[in-house]
């Protein structure tokens, strides 16, 4: 009987309720409509849909994170340009270094060529002057082997004395001509032996002489513009102890 009364009461409740607006009463009416509705699925309260604002905020956040993860626009092109610029800078540096080296080489060649030209001018007569030294040596030997007393006795040896004077003048003029072109003679007699300017032909102990000094000059030495044209040929005093 209780079930019959409850079913009658159920059928008496209207399936739809008028919409009531305002506050808690409106919410109760909406809940009652859903509770006593004949349509299936309407007895359970519906879940509220997410707000559009929240969804739009999440979407913007996701977009921002994607933008942060993604490389900036044109970054690859900028990287390529930087690489190209670095390569060009390296090439410029290499070319500049090669250019500076070329300038240095050209300057060295110019300086060396200038020095060679000057040396050629200075020492152009080296071979010719060296050949003339043999003539000077012959004249000196001729004068050296004439007895001094014969030369002084001009009354009895007038021809020999005149010839001797002529050879002396010839030798003097020849040496003067060589000297005008930079050729100078030097005599190392009684001086310490110098292997750079003299050539020792022999050694002998000489009393009263310092060992290692020149005691005899067979041929005088000659210098051309500061360069040894021919070393002097000398005899050197020998140390009696053999040192």
């Amino acid at each position: 009987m209780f079930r019959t009364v409850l079913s009658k009461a159920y059928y008496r409740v209207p399936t739809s309720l008028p919409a009531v607006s305002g506050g808690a009463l409106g919410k109760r009416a909406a809940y009652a409509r859903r509770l006593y509705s004949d349509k299936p699925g309407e007895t359970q309260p519906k879940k509220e849909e997410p707000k559009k604002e929240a969804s739009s905020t999440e979407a913007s956040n996701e977009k921002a994170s994607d933008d942060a993860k993604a490389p900036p626009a044109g970054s690859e092109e900028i990287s390529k340009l930087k690489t190209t610029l670095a390569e060009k800078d390296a090439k410029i540096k290499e070319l500049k270094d090669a250019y500076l080296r070329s300038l240095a080489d050209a300057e060295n060649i110019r300086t060396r060529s200038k020095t060679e030209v000057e040396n050629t001018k200075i020492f152009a007569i080296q071979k010719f002057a060296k050949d003339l030294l043999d003539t000077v040596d012959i004249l000196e030997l001729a004068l050296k082997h004439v007895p001094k007393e014969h030369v002084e006795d001009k009354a009895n040896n007038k021809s020999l004395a005149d010839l001797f004077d002529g050879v002396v003048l010839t030798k003097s003029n020849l040496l003067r001509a060589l000297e005008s072109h930079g050729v100078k003679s030097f005599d190392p007699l009684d001086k310490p032996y110098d292997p750079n300017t003299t050539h020792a032909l022999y050694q002998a102990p000489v009393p009263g002489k310092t060992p290692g000094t020149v005691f005899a000059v067979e041929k005088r030495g000659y210098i051309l513009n500061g360069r040894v044209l021919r070393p002097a040929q000398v005899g050197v005093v020998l140390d009696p102890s053999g040192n």
Side-chain angles (χ1 to χ4, degrees), residues 138-147 163-165 167-168 171:
I138 292 172
L139 294 176
E140 286 184 346
L141 286 174
L143 295 173
K144 185 177 180 180
H145 286 82
V146 175
L163 179 61
F164 185 86
D165 293 339
V167 173
V168 170
K171 174 193 170 185

Side-chain angles (χ1 to χ4, degrees), residues 40-238:
E42 290 186 357
T43 58
Q44 299 294 331
K46 295 183 179 179
K47 296 181 180 179
E48 295 183 358
E49 297 180 357
K51 296 181 179 180
K52 294 183 178 180
E53 294 181 358
S55 61
S56 62
T57 303
E58 292 178 358
S60 62
N61 292 335
E62 292 179 358
K63 184 177 180 181
S65 63
D66 293 340
D67 293 340
K69 293 180 181 179
S75 61
E76 294 183 358
E77 185 176 356
I78 293 174
S79 178
K80 290 181 180 180
L81 289 175
K82 288 182 178 180
T83 303
T84 304
L85 183 61
E87 292 177 354
K88 290 185 179 296
D89 289 341
K91 187 65 176 178
I92 290 173
K93 185 178 180 180
E94 181 181 355
L95 293 175
K96 184 178 179 180
D97 183 68
Y99 173 70
L100 294 177
R101 289 178 180 274
S102 299
L103 288 180
D105 292 340
E107 182 65 20
N108 291 336
I109 292 173
R110 188 184 68 82
T111 304
R112 186 162 53 250
S113 300
K114 183 179 178 180
T115 303
E116 290 178 355
V117 170
E118 291 177 354
N119 290 338
T120 301
K121 291 180 180 179
I122 293 174
F123 302 106
I125 65 167
Q126 180 173 348
K127 188 176 184 304
F128 175 71
K130 196 171 184 179
D131 291 339
L132 286 180
L133 296 181
D134 294 335
T135 303
V136 176
D137 293 337
I138 292 172
L139 294 176
E140 286 184 346
L141 286 174
L143 295 173
K144 185 177 180 180
H145 286 82
V146 175
K148 187 176 181 181
E149 58 275 11
H150 290 176
V151 175
E152 293 177 352
D153 188 8
K154 293 184 178 180
N156 298 322
N157 300 301
K158 186 176 183 304
S159 298
L160 181 60
D162 292 340
L163 179 61
F164 185 86
D165 293 339
V167 173
V168 170
L169 291 175
T170 303
K171 174 193 170 185
S172 299
N173 288 334
L174 184 56
L175 290 176
R176 191 160 42 248
L178 291 173
E179 188 174 354
S180 65
H181 289 85
V183 180
K184 296 180 180 181
S185 64
F186 65 91
D187 188 356
L189 184 65
D190 296 330
K191 294 180 181 179
Y193 173 72
D194 184 3
N196 296 319
T197 58
T198 56
H199 175 65
L201 296 177
Y202 52 87
Q203 289 180 309
V206 179
K209 294 285 186 179
T210 304
T213 58
V214 176
F215 72 92
V217 178
E218 301 298 331
K219 288 185 178 180
R220 298 167 62 87
Y222 291 88
I223 295 176
L224 174 61
N225 294 319
R227 179 187 295 180
V228 176
L229 180 62
R230 190 190 71 181
Q233 298 180 6
V234 300
V236 182
V237 178
L238 179 65

